[in-house]
Amino acid sequence: MLTGRSKVAGVFGWPVSHSRSPRLHGFWLERYGIDGTYIPLPVEPGRLPEVARALTLAGFAGANVTIPHKEAAFACCDEVDDTAHRAGAVNTLVFQGGLIIGSNTDGWGFLASMEEQAPGWRATDGTVTLLGAGGAARAIAAALLKAGCPRVVLVNRATWRAEKLARDLERPGEGRIEVAAAPPLAETALLVNTTPLGMRGQPPLEIDLSPLPDTAVVCDIVYVPLETPLLAAARARGLRAVDGLGMLLHQGRPGFAAWFSVMPEVDAALRAHVAADIPPR
């Protein structure tokens, strides 16, 4: 039951009904006995700045941001941290003292999910090949380079987009970031799909995994369905496979901690709770 002291957060999106974030944060709120709530916030494109400012003044603690608002959220922040600067987008807003403070936890969530689902994996292991060059690829590439990955290769149908991303992320003292017309699978330690291919309602990602080393890891950030054709092909080859649900769960932790003053845990019970709401392909 909510009280006059309840903390309120939510998720901005359009549409937002598909988001599993309310289910995720609702589980944590109940687990930790917190006087608070987390609600879906459907906001039409172009209206995010005025709505976010109004909720800041209304006493909301903050919000997550999903499609199509991540770049608009960046523009409406009073302050953004380095994760948001490098990603060029915001997925977590904290409302504090009348200010809107933005960050991007997608890269952090990706690394945490990799460590959880592929024990022993490290960003320093070797070349990472990213399929796609959108917002998720940007956040993941930035996190990998910062964590010591020696080489990130971007493969995208629109080469110009990948080339721009590479220029934006290149920093002295970090690993190389390159663009390739085809995935250099024989040299790849980690292959990551950041495109919608393989998602429910989308065509599968068609790629021959046979050139990958036997030690390679394959990750698909798609989580509807949990077992995409790419992950099924990886497992059939005997490779370690990492699904997209872990990234969703872990990216939510920093925001929850900022809004509700508890750093939540990701465990089997949480995964089962959220996965129960994910339809099969």
Side-chain angles (χ1 to χ4, degrees), residues 3 5-6 15 66 81 105 113 146 165 198 221 225 231 259 274:
T3 71
R5 295 184 298 277
S6 298
T66 189
D81 67 10
T105 65
S113 177
K146 186 174 182 180
L165 193 159
I221 70 167
L231 295 184
W259 307 321
V274 178

Side-chain angles (χ1 to χ4, degrees), residues 134-253:
R138 178 181 289 266
I140 290 169
L144 285 165
L145 291 168
K146 186 174 182 180
C149 180
R151 180 185 180 220
V152 173
V153 179
L154 305 172
V155 181
N156 192 61
R157 184 168 53 185
T159 305
W160 66 269
R161 185 183 294 276
E163 290 173 343
K164 181 180 185 305
L165 193 159
R167 289 194 301 271
D168 289 348
L169 292 184
E170 190 174 18
R171 280 190 178 181
E174 292 187 348
R176 303 196 314 275
I177 181 164
E178 307 170 6
V179 176
L185 295 183
E187 309 162 25
T188 296
L190 170 64
L191 175 69
V192 186
N193 175 40
T194 72
T195 77
L197 294 175
M199 185 183 295
R200 189 179 186 212
Q202 297 286 334
L205 173 64
E206 297 183 359
I207 185 171
D208 177 12
L209 300 181
S210 60
L212 281 172
D214 292 341
T215 55
V217 182
V218 176
C219 174
D220 198 331
I221 70 167
V222 168
Y223 62 87
V224 181
L226 278 178
E227 183 79 350
T228 63
L230 175 65
L231 295 184
R235 295 188 207 279
R237 248 222 64 192
L239 302 174
R240 287 187 293 173
V242 175
D243 64 47
L245 181 57
M247 179 175 167
L248 172 72
L249 301 181
H250 283 283
Q251 64 79 33
R253 295 178 68 213

Side-chain angles (χ1 to χ4, degrees), residues 16 28-29 77 79 87 95 124 139 190 217 241 269:
V16 77
W28 280 331
L29 287 168
C77 287
E79 300 175 12
F95 302 153
T124 54
L190 170 64
V217 182

Side-chain angles (χ1 to χ4, degrees), residues 80-94:
V80 293
D81 67 10
D82 187 59
T83 63
H85 270 297
R86 293 202 75 177
V90 160
N91 78 333
T92 303
L93 298 171
V94 175

